Amino acid sequence: MAPATSTKARAYARRVNPAAADLAAMTRALELAVQAAGADDVPVGAVVTDAAGSVIGEGRNLRELTHDPTAHAEVVALREAAASIGSWNLEGCTLVVTLEPCLMCAGALLQARVSRLVFGAWDDKAGAAGSVYDVVRDRRLPSRAEVVGGVHADDSTMLLRAFFESRRQP
């Protein structure tokens, strides 16, 4: 699949304004990202809300702690949300995450039938919701999600930069 046109995809994602529940969920996702950094993992946090805006799942990167390459914040949050409602089908739900999802996480949210994706920082190296690829809105796939990108992007980017700069220090 060819890479998405970043400028066009980003412009589309920015036209949609986040709801109040999205902003509250992003604040919680940022708190989870800080916890991930404190555990020496990449600072990414995620929250799943139901159609009413209530939190039904949370996650943070746990790859270092669990030695599980699939333990990205999004996957952890999706698993918790599915368990909390007793169904893999999360239609009507929103995934709020501090970093644009990678291909694996974009695929997971589509497989779970998540209706909306709200994210903070754009990922120009591995993003699959508008930066490198636009899997989440690919019309060739059987399900798609509405995308709201750049929510609290500065806060998310600051956490990521600080984490990686601290790892580069001698």
Side-chain angles (χ1 to χ4, degrees):
M1 176 168 46
T5 305
S6 294
T7 306
K8 183 177 178 184
R10 287 183 184 200
Y12 173 77
R14 289 179 195 263
R15 275 189 268 156
V16 182
N17 292 324
D22 298 336
L23 296 173
M26 183 60 78
T27 298
R28 177 61 183 145
L30 286 163
E31 292 169 358
L32 292 163
V34 169
Q35 290 177 17
D40 256 354
D41 216 323
V42 177
V44 178
V47 172
V48 178
T49 60
D50 63 15
S54 299
V55 174
I56 59 170
E58 295 185 341
R60 63 177 177 87
N61 272 4
L62 296 172
R63 292 186 318 163
E64 297 299 328
L65 179 68
T66 63
H67 309 291
D68 177 357
T70 68
H72 289 204
E74 300 94 327
V75 173
V76 174
L78 290 169
R79 287 177 178 158
E80 186 174 294
S84 84
I85 67 167
S87 174
W88 64 268
N89 190 330
L90 300 176
E91 189 171 343
C93 293
T94 299
L95 173 63
V96 179
V97 60
T98 58
L99 179 65
E100 179 184 3
C102 68
L103 279 168
M104 177 184 71
C105 295
L109 78 91
L110 292 176
Q111 288 298 317
R113 306 294 191 265
V114 171
S115 300
R116 295 179 68 243
L117 167 66
V118 176
F119 66 86
W122 293 91
D123 186 349
D124 291 327
K125 293 182 181 178
S131 287
V132 179
Y133 300 102
D134 199 4
V135 174
V136 178
R137 294 178 291 197
D138 191 323
R139 294 195 179 276
R140 296 170 292 183
L141 298 175
S143 61
R144 288 169 290 289
E146 174 188 349
V147 176
V148 180
V151 177
H152 287 297
D154 291 342
D155 297 329
S156 299
T157 300
M158 182 184 69
L159 279 172
L160 289 160
R161 278 199 182 123
F163 177 79
F164 287 113
E165 285 174 4
S166 73
R167 313 255 297 149
R168 291 183 193 111
Q169 299 296 333

